[in-house]
Amino acid sequence: MAPHILILGGTTEARELAAVLTARPGVRVTTSLAGRVTRPGAVAGEVRIGGFGGAAGLADWMREEHVDALIDATHPFARAITAHAAQAAAATGVPSVVLRRPGWRPGPGDRWHPVDSLDAAAELLPSLGRRVFLTTGRMELAAFAHLSELHFVVRSVELPEPPMPPHTEVLLARGPFTVADESTLLYDHCIDVLVTKDSGGAATSAKLTAARELALPVVVVRRPPLPEGVGSVPDVAGVQRWLDLNSP
């Protein structure tokens, strides 16, 4: 029977990994997507859409589908699924690893304000500006909903879900965006503070460069820690090396 590799996906790295692994002869690759985006990009190999029903449901699916290796390539802030993946791997004895792109680091001229949560970001915002470019994700605006004195610009591939701040302007767009794109947005909307999560990677980093060039403060939400005992690799090549050491 062909070894079966399960990728918990949704990120750019997950799609790259699926393409690389499906090219391996005699390997079955399944990528699981949460289904929060109605039109996800193309993914090589088999695709499964929807939740598993928690760690126990994921473990049951892994047993039924004879999964030999689990790669968690979800977003760095997908705390719940990462915890469930770790629990399911432990319950089934399936080797697992997290594919986690390196986080961003401030450089000369950056005016970063690191915080540990969205609530902390919301608490800090009124002291930094009045017009906010909020890039924390369309499903996590509730933490800012009480800030009625601020104006928010939210960019999203799909419409955000309420609750959200009363003065919210939604821009529907899909990246990647250039530094010139981001500079124009910040200037045209008179943005004086940016809020983002430390997602890492180059696909969404242009806004940080634009903010630096315009000398804007940036509230950066730190990543949640990985579950205890869970290992990680920074890129697709790291996953391939890990698989070679843990060959199904």
Side-chain angles (χ1 to χ4, degrees), residues 60-222:
D60 289 342
W61 192 92
M62 291 168 62
R63 293 188 188 99
E64 292 167 4
E65 296 296 325
H66 304 289
V67 171
D68 297 291
L70 170 62
I71 295 102
D72 175 2
T74 56
H75 192 275
F77 284 82
R79 183 195 296 257
I81 187 61
T82 293
H84 293 164
Q87 294 164 21
T92 58
V94 171
S96 68
V97 72
V98 175
L99 170 53
R100 188 61 38 92
R101 69 181 79 121
W104 293 317
R105 295 290 181 267
D110 282 322
R111 297 174 58 198
W112 285 17
H113 298 264
V115 295
D116 288 325
S117 66
L118 293 173
D119 288 337
E123 183 177 354
L124 182 60
L125 265 184
S127 67
L128 297 176
R130 312 301 292 177
R131 295 184 62 86
V132 184
F133 185 28
L134 184 59
T135 65
T136 56
R138 67 184 178 90
M139 303 181 71
E140 296 185 303
L141 305 184
F144 306 90
H146 64 287
L147 297 175
S148 59
E149 300 301 315
L150 305 185
H151 180 89
F152 290 84
V153 174
V154 174
R155 184 175 61 205
S156 178
V157 175
E158 299 182 2
L159 287 174
E161 297 185 2
M164 65 182 72
H167 303 294
T168 298
E169 181 179 357
V170 178
L171 307 177
L172 295 180
R174 185 188 295 271
F177 304 98
T178 66
V179 174
D181 293 333
E182 303 294 50
S183 296
T184 298
L185 185 152
L186 296 173
Y187 181 82
D188 288 349
H189 291 273
C190 302
I191 299 299
D192 52 20
V193 59
L194 167 66
V195 182
T196 189
K197 293 177 177 177
D198 180 16
S199 300
T204 58
S205 64
K207 61 194 172 190
L208 298 174
T209 302
R212 180 191 311 127
E213 292 177 351
L214 294 171
L216 298 182
V218 181
V219 180
V220 180
V221 182
R222 297 185 182 96

Side-chain angles (χ1 to χ4, degrees), residues 5 7 14-24 27-33 41-48:
I5 299 173
I7 302 171
R15 290 193 294 274
E16 293 175 356
L17 179 62
V20 168
L21 295 185
T22 54
R24 288 190 172 195
V27 176
R28 178 188 174 194
V29 179
T30 300
T31 299
S32 177
L33 304 176
V43 179
E46 300 176 31
V47 177
R48 179 193 181 280

